[in-house]
Amino acid sequence: MTDQTTEQAIGQITEQTTGHTDGTDGPPVADPHDNRRQVLYWRLLARLFDSEEQATLESASLAVVEDIGLPPALLDPQASVDSIVQRHPDLAAEFDGLMAPEPDPEDGARDRAAEVRRAALVSKVLLNVFASGSGTVTAGQLARWQSDAGWLERALGCRPGELRGGRAGGRMAGPGVSPTGTGGGGATPDLSRLIPAIGPELGAIEADLVKRMHLREVLADPKLAAQLTPSMSLIEQLLRDKNNLSGVALANAKSLIRRFVDEVAQVLRTQVEKASVGAIDRSIPPKRVFRNLDLDRTIWKNLTNWSPEEQRLYVDRLYYRHTARKTTPQRLIVVVDQSGSMVDSMVNCTILASIFAGLPKVDVHLIAYDTQALDLTPWVHDPFETLLRTKLGGGTDGTVAMALAQPKVAEPRNTVVVWISDFYEWRTEPLFESMAALHRSGVKFIPVGSVTSSGRGSVNPWFRERFKDLGTPVISGHIRKLVNELKTFLA
């Protein structure tokens, strides 16, 4: 398409807002690049809020995309970002960090041509993610949406899956170009100023897509089940429906849960291992193995043996680092509300409990409850088996869980109780009094409202105020907050 044709197509729209496209008197003429960017964003808004195609916007947008050298497939709602990047690999680098905040240029000059190109790419990602349509969803459509959501997370400077569920990455769709590629590997940007918070919204869209999918039929077909990417929304549906599955469908469901558990465990294990538990115990001699060799100290202590004539250092003593740590046996009791609203926190904390259970001298107990309590301690080392034994839904009566937790407190000063719930309880005052009694006895009591990657979750204001007065404010937000609290206590 020629430049003249492009400007004519854009002019049909921009004349309505600028009033003039030539040098005649009147309002100032908008910059041509600004006009093009506006056309692309107007098309984006029209597509998001109106199912019917606007012919004028479509033709103008096509003219812009072709003129700036981008593939017309960017305007195809049925084309995934993966498919476009596979055909045009150079675009992968442009999508990475596309929407991440950038410092203003020192000279204040804007690259308006680059802004037009950015608008075209941003529009593609946003439209594919937020225009999720209606009606029945196939496994392929869900997988495509998850892939596109991964690209959106990469565009925001995050790893695929990080905003939706804290996983290490999404599903591999092609070598070097999928959301699990090299993008999003830097430090996670501060997205707290996004209104509304993007993580919960992505999770809500994904949950809606999963609900619109005939999940049982998909699970019964190995080929369709293989297209599914495990996510928090999908895992919630599987846990709710697991008692209604059998045979191939149940096996595929277990496989998806296992994959998700392993991916989340990898992320959480890294967070736990970033800080060591316990102080160095220098009363224990260091192990004389190569990995503990303190090379710098060995050289320094043997410098008197340096031979200038031979240009050689003779070492008569090796020095090793102390690695043994002082650890007092600690007991960690995790109580999880297994009502449907807490599934994200339950999955994360079940996995987290299994990780802490693998640390030396940490005795972990796990209790799940609704109107009845279940002691899951025998399976605490295997979060997969633990999740299969949970039952989502129902009311919440924390007093039944407290009846199981209290006898487990043998040494209050060496015990931490983590209670994960939204605290909308049937018996509020008796439960709070028993929690306050634990705190007064010397137990480290940590109330947790939500421990998700997105931070979405509500807490009963009655409990929130009383926990604050007690000096044990409710933790809500990213699971890293809970990890840091536990590491501080266990250190």
Side-chain angles (χ1 to χ4, degrees):
M1 185 175 289
T2 65
D3 291 346
Q4 182 178 3
T5 308
T6 300
E7 296 305 329
Q8 290 175 349
I10 297 173
Q12 296 177 14
I13 299 174
T14 56
E15 284 176 0
Q16 300 175 17
T17 56
T18 62
H20 298 268
T21 58
D22 52 21
T24 60
D25 295 336
V29 178
D31 184 278
H33 293 305
D34 288 343
N35 288 343
R36 295 182 176 194
R37 191 176 70 253
Q38 289 177 14
V39 166
L40 293 170
Y41 284 136
W42 284 336
R43 173 187 176 272
L44 170 64
L45 292 174
R47 281 281 190 173
L48 287 174
F49 297 106
D50 189 351
S51 58
E52 297 202 4
E53 183 178 292
Q54 303 295 321
T56 304
L57 285 172
E58 293 296 327
S59 60
S61 297
L62 178 61
V64 171
V65 167
E66 290 183 336
D67 191 56
I68 62 179
L70 288 174
L74 282 176
L75 302 179
D76 182 1
Q78 303 303 316
S80 67
V81 178
D82 257 349
S83 65
I84 293 174
V85 171
Q86 285 172 350
R87 293 182 178 88
H88 308 275
D90 293 343
L91 291 179
E94 292 192 55
F95 279 110
D96 280 334
L98 178 68
M99 303 167 65
E102 295 180 353
D104 295 329
E106 294 181 0
D107 57 3
R110 294 167 52 188
D111 187 345
R112 297 185 181 275
E115 289 178 358
V116 177
R117 190 176 182 91
R118 175 188 174 102
L121 298 174
V122 167
S123 296
K124 177 59 180 175
V125 177
L126 293 180
L127 188 61
N128 276 27
V129 172
F130 290 101
S132 55
S134 59
T136 303
V137 174
T138 66
Q141 288 172 326
L142 176 62
R144 193 189 75 175
W145 183 92
Q146 290 172 325
S147 172
D148 288 333
W151 282 105
L152 173 60
E153 288 164 319
R154 282 179 65 166
L156 289 168
C158 302
R159 292 180 176 84
E162 187 171 355
L163 297 180
R164 288 169 286 154
R167 295 181 297 123
R171 175 175 173 267
M172 180 68 73
V177 296
S178 81
T180 55
T182 58
T188 302
D190 179 13
L191 303 179
S192 59
R193 292 179 296 175
L194 289 179
I195 303 175
I198 192 86
E201 299 307 317
L202 291 177
I205 294 174
E206 186 173 27
D208 178 65
L209 291 172
V210 172
K211 289 179 182 177
R212 286 156 47 193
M213 183 174 60
H214 295 161
L215 188 56
R216 295 182 192 177
E217 289 81 356
V218 171
L219 291 172
D221 187 330
K223 291 184 179 179
L224 293 178
Q227 298 181 37
L228 296 176
T229 302
S231 64
M232 188 63 75
S233 300
L234 182 59
I235 297 308
E236 178 178 354
Q237 287 299 110
L238 293 176
L239 292 176
R240 289 183 185 278
D241 206 32
K242 65 180 184 295
N243 293 329
N244 298 317
L245 301 175
S246 60
V248 174
L250 181 59
N252 287 329
K254 288 183 176 181
S255 176
L256 286 167
I257 295 173
R258 171 69 77 181
R259 283 171 55 194
F260 185 78
V261 165
D262 291 343
E263 290 173 359
V264 175
Q266 180 183 355
V267 176
L268 295 183
R269 191 173 291 108
T270 301
Q271 295 178 9
V272 171
E273 291 173 351
K274 282 182 179 178
S276 301
V277 175
I280 295 293
D281 188 351
R282 299 193 178 276
S283 65
I284 301 177
K287 289 185 178 180
R288 297 177 178 273
V289 294
F290 180 75
R291 69 172 178 272
N292 291 341
L293 178 64
D294 190 338
L295 189 58
D296 290 341
R297 190 176 177 216
T298 297
I299 294 174
W300 176 257
K301 290 290 187 178
N302 287 278
L303 281 178
T304 55
N305 299 327
W306 170 254
S307 173
E309 295 80 11
E310 302 179 53
Q311 291 290 299
R312 182 174 298 179
L313 178 66
Y314 290 92
V315 177
D316 56 16
R317 182 179 176 184
L318 298 175
Y319 292 83
Y320 297 87
R321 297 185 185 90
H322 289 78
T323 56
R325 297 183 178 274
K326 296 177 181 179
T327 55
T328 302
Q330 308 280 13
R331 175 160 291 184
L332 170 62
I333 303 172
V334 181
V335 183
V336 186
D337 172 0
Q338 62 175 352
S339 61
S341 61
M342 296 298 295
V343 62
D344 199 340
S345 295
M346 185 186 70
V347 171
N348 278 294
C349 288
T350 298
I351 298 171
L352 189 62
S354 71
I355 294 172
F356 275 99
L359 297 179
K361 297 189 178 181
V362 180
D363 181 23
V364 180
H365 295 253
L366 181 62
I367 299 171
Y369 77 96
D370 43 30
T371 56
Q372 296 180 324
L374 179 63
D375 191 344
L376 297 169
T377 303
W379 302 279
V380 72
H381 288 84
D382 190 342
F384 171 71
E385 291 296 333
T386 301
L387 289 173
L388 291 183
R389 284 168 171 77
T390 58
K391 178 183 178 183
L392 299 183
T396 49
D397 184 3
T399 58
V400 296
M402 183 61 75
L404 277 181
Q406 284 175 328
K408 295 178 178 290
V409 180
E411 299 181 21
R413 296 292 176 184
N414 293 328
T415 302
V416 56
V417 174
V418 179
W419 197 290
I420 302 103
S421 175
D422 53 12
F423 296 100
Y424 284 95
E425 297 281 341
W426 289 358
R427 303 169 65 186
T428 55
E429 294 190 8
L431 178 59
F432 178 76
E433 286 303 319
S434 60
M435 291 174 171
L438 277 181
H439 175 68
R440 289 192 296 267
S441 71
V443 170
K444 171 72 172 178
F445 187 81
I446 305 177
V448 181
S450 65
V451 283
T452 68
S453 295
S454 60
R456 166 176 280 183
S458 62
V459 175
N460 187 335
W462 188 92
F463 269 93
R464 185 184 289 277
E465 288 301 316
R466 280 155 181 78
F467 282 135
K468 185 177 180 181
D469 295 340
L470 190 64
T472 59
V474 175
I475 293 178
S476 291
H478 202 285
I479 195 169
R480 281 195 298 266
K481 295 181 180 179
L482 177 57
V483 171
N484 291 333
E485 283 285 331
L486 292 176
K487 288 193 297 189
T488 299
F489 179 81
L490 296 173

